[in-house]
Amino acid sequence: MSTVVAGGAAHMGLETLYREHSGWLHGWLRQRMNNAADAADLAQDTFIRVLLARSAGMLNEPRHYLATIARGLVIDLYRRRSLESAYLQALAQQPEHYAPSAETRAAVLETLMAIDRMLDGLGERTRAIFLAVQLDGLSYEKAATRLGVSVSTVRKHLARGLMHCLLIDDA
């Protein structure tokens, strides 16, 4: 019985949070993005994140909390668009008969976003080393030369990157 009451209280907290702050959040996003449609989508996505976190009822600074979530969503949106743009530019350089289907393009973009999220948790040097060895196919020695580090640094950071990816994949 207490679970239903707690769930109902959380629902009421989210409803109140939405009613009191959704207009402010939408305006805050619209001002930063200069795009009302993107702002509306991100405002709704922000409240979905709050709903999934189930923390609406216990917020001391709701606008700060909402703005923090929304900032992360804005960054994700721009990152996704940047990846998509780079992918579409690369496709445009390919002969037409090599063009993938719409389904394949969507799957590739989804995979690129997953890889980007996976690499996002790596430090800049670790990410550069990981990509040089794994994506560019450089040997440890060539990666070390390109990045101006020692071979042992390449080994250490590559191991760190691989471990990070394995832990993310496991989760």
Side-chain angles (χ1 to χ4, degrees), residues 39-147:
D41 288 344
L42 291 175
Q44 293 305 315
D45 289 348
T46 299
F47 283 101
I48 289 170
R49 291 271 175 105
V50 172
L51 175 65
L52 294 174
R54 300 172 191 219
S55 58
M58 49 190 144
L59 298 175
N60 293 328
E61 298 181 40
R63 288 188 176 183
H64 177 74
Y65 181 68
L66 293 170
T68 300
I69 293 171
R71 266 189 219 99
L73 291 171
V74 168
I75 290 167
D76 289 348
L77 175 68
Y78 285 132
R79 180 181 286 155
R80 184 174 55 251
R81 286 183 178 166
S82 175
L83 273 172
E84 184 175 359
S85 174
Y87 176 61
L88 292 175
Q89 285 176 1
L91 283 180
Q93 295 174 358
Q94 298 296 316
E96 189 175 324
H97 62 277
Y98 287 117
S101 68
E103 294 83 14
T104 301
R105 282 196 308 266
V108 169
L109 283 172
E110 188 175 315
T111 301
L112 286 171
M113 289 303 300
I115 291 168
D116 184 60
R117 281 191 302 274
M118 191 176 284
L119 296 177
D120 189 42
L122 297 176
E124 187 175 326
R125 179 181 280 181
T126 303
R127 184 177 332 129
I129 289 170
F130 184 85
L131 290 173
V133 173
Q134 296 295 322
L135 187 64
D136 297 339
L138 297 181
S139 67
Y140 291 5
E141 293 77 15
K142 287 183 180 177
T145 301
R146 178 195 280 182
L147 298 169

